[in-house]
Amino acid sequence: DQDAFCETLGLKKEDVAFISIPSPFPVENRPTIVSPIASMSFKNIDKGLPKMAKAVKAILDAHPNEKGIIHCHSYKIAQYLKRNIRSSRLITHNSENRIKKLKIHMADSRPTVLLSPSMQEGVDLKGDLSRFQILCKVPYPYLGDKLVKKRMHKWRWWYPLQTAKTIVQSVGRSVRSIDDTAVTYILDGDFERFYDKHKSLFPKEFRDTIKR
């Protein structure tokens, strides 16, 4: 969003040049399957987690020989899935050993799957390092952060824009080149409502991959 970019950085729009180019990655190589399993909102998460675990296990069973990543967006979801799925394929981490566990996943010849609350950015899972990924929760910014609260009160559009950007970043972890392929599953029951309300915040290259 050009206006938002300039506003948040304190730039004058007339001083900034914007270049937009289409993604070279074929749409058929990166389908996004939206399957609303359960709401992961604060109010509904405890009731929804058993359904989420069942759905995640079914996806793991559908990809028995492939590596992948599960974006949990919270340690609560990651820990619940680890305890209740009990698969030796799952590799999770804490705030201190994130890079170490990522390297273990990348070096392991088995079809391991990263179970992470915080690998939405800066992770290159190219090729066979991830052929599928799961988004368990819409990644809203943490409301306990004072900076988040100040920005969302100053700019009404800031909070949904950050959420949309994080979704797009998450989906981008597993398709890293023009001939790379991966399928994405979005399972949070709240995603469709967010997406339908804020569709304009998502780039066309993302919208074209959505399958409901």
Side-chain angles (χ1 to χ4, degrees):
D1 185 286
Q2 298 177 10
D3 293 331
F5 180 83
C6 292
E7 180 74 16
T8 52
L9 292 181
L11 302 172
K12 294 180 180 178
K13 193 173 179 180
E14 57 268 26
D15 294 336
V16 181
F18 292 91
I19 300 172
S20 179
I21 59 174
S23 171
F25 298 175
V27 172
E28 58 270 20
N29 286 5
R30 46 190 178 92
T32 301
I33 300 171
V34 178
S35 181
I37 297 300
S39 169
M40 290 290 102
S41 68
F42 179 79
K43 182 174 68 175
N44 298 314
I45 188 170
D46 290 331
K47 181 173 63 176
L49 277 172
K51 296 178 183 178
M52 183 62 64
K54 185 176 180 181
V56 169
K57 186 179 185 306
I59 293 172
L60 290 174
D61 291 343
H63 297 267
N65 302 312
E66 295 177 322
K67 287 179 176 285
I69 181 170
I70 304 169
H71 296 288
C72 300
H73 193 59
S74 78
Y75 281 104
K76 179 173 182 172
I77 295 174
Q79 291 166 0
Y80 184 92
L81 295 180
K82 180 69 172 177
R83 285 196 311 267
N84 288 274
I85 295 177
R86 297 182 181 178
S87 170
S88 61
R89 296 174 63 189
L90 297 177
I91 297 177
T92 191
H93 64 87
N94 56 37
S95 59
E96 298 177 353
N97 62 5
R98 176 178 178 272
I99 300 302
K100 177 183 177 181
K101 292 301 183 75
L102 174 61
K103 289 180 177 179
I104 289 173
H105 169 78
M106 297 174 76
D108 201 319
S109 60
R110 299 175 301 161
T112 52
V113 179
L114 289 164
L115 184 64
S116 175
S118 60
M119 288 191 183
Q120 300 97 334
E121 298 181 9
V123 176
D124 183 11
L125 298 176
K126 59 187 177 183
D128 289 336
L129 293 177
S130 179
R131 291 301 183 190
F132 70 97
Q133 55 193 354
I134 303 170
L135 274 66
C136 295
K137 187 180 187 308
V138 176
Y140 297 108
Y142 176 51
L143 290 174
D145 187 322
K146 291 182 180 179
L147 185 57
V148 168
K149 279 195 170 182
K150 285 187 176 182
R151 286 176 171 170
M152 68 182 289
H153 287 308
K154 183 174 182 179
W155 302 303
R156 293 184 62 184
W157 43 261
W158 184 86
Y159 195 75
L161 178 60
Q162 298 310 306
T163 303
K165 285 170 61 177
T166 304
I167 292 171
V168 173
Q169 286 286 343
S170 301
V171 170
R173 294 314 89 212
S174 299
V175 179
R176 310 297 296 171
S177 67
I178 195 168
D179 54 358
D180 205 351
T181 62
V183 57
T184 298
Y185 303 90
I186 301 181
L187 304 184
D188 190 347
D190 298 319
F191 172 77
E192 287 189 307
R193 179 170 53 85
F194 175 83
Y195 179 73
D196 290 341
K197 185 176 181 180
H198 302 291
K199 189 178 293 186
S200 63
L201 297 178
F202 292 87
K204 183 178 185 299
E205 285 74 18
F206 176 86
R207 299 197 304 266
D208 290 345
T209 69
I210 293 289
K211 299 180 182 296
R212 302 199 210 191

